[in-house]
Amino acid sequence: MAKPDIHPQWYPDAKVYCNGQVVMTVGSTKPELHVDVWSGNHPFYTGTQKLIDTEGRVERFLRKYGMSSSTSTDKASSQK
């Protein structure tokens, strides 16, 4: 059994606020939680996420270290 007077108070209906609006209620040891991002406004969950890396990682690695076929032909033509 739980020992008395050592556990924090449990709030079963703690309110989660985002931008001043209540977005959900959860169980917590604090009566109010203030968050900047939650699943309702995060780009991954809302479908507005944009891909930053439009170039493939392998192609970028090959180009960076001079293993790309286009880079090697450019070097060969510039050495002539």
Side-chain angles (χ1 to χ4, degrees), residues 6-67:
I6 65 166
H7 298 284
Q9 182 175 354
W10 182 253
Y11 298 95
D13 294 324
K15 296 187 179 354
V16 179
Y17 291 92
C18 183
N19 296 329
Q21 298 179 354
V22 176
V23 293
M24 68 178 87
T25 57
V26 296
S28 176
T29 57
K30 296 186 178 189
E32 293 181 354
L33 300 168
H34 296 274
V35 297
D36 295 327
V37 178
W38 67 291
S39 62
N41 67 356
H42 192 277
F44 179 79
Y45 297 108
T46 59
T48 59
Q49 183 178 19
K50 296 179 183 177
L51 294 176
I52 296 171
D53 184 19
T54 57
E55 184 180 13
R57 291 182 182 188
V58 174
E59 290 80 13
R60 187 173 54 207
F61 174 83
L62 294 175
R63 186 177 42 125
K64 180 177 179 180
Y65 293 104
M67 295 181 229

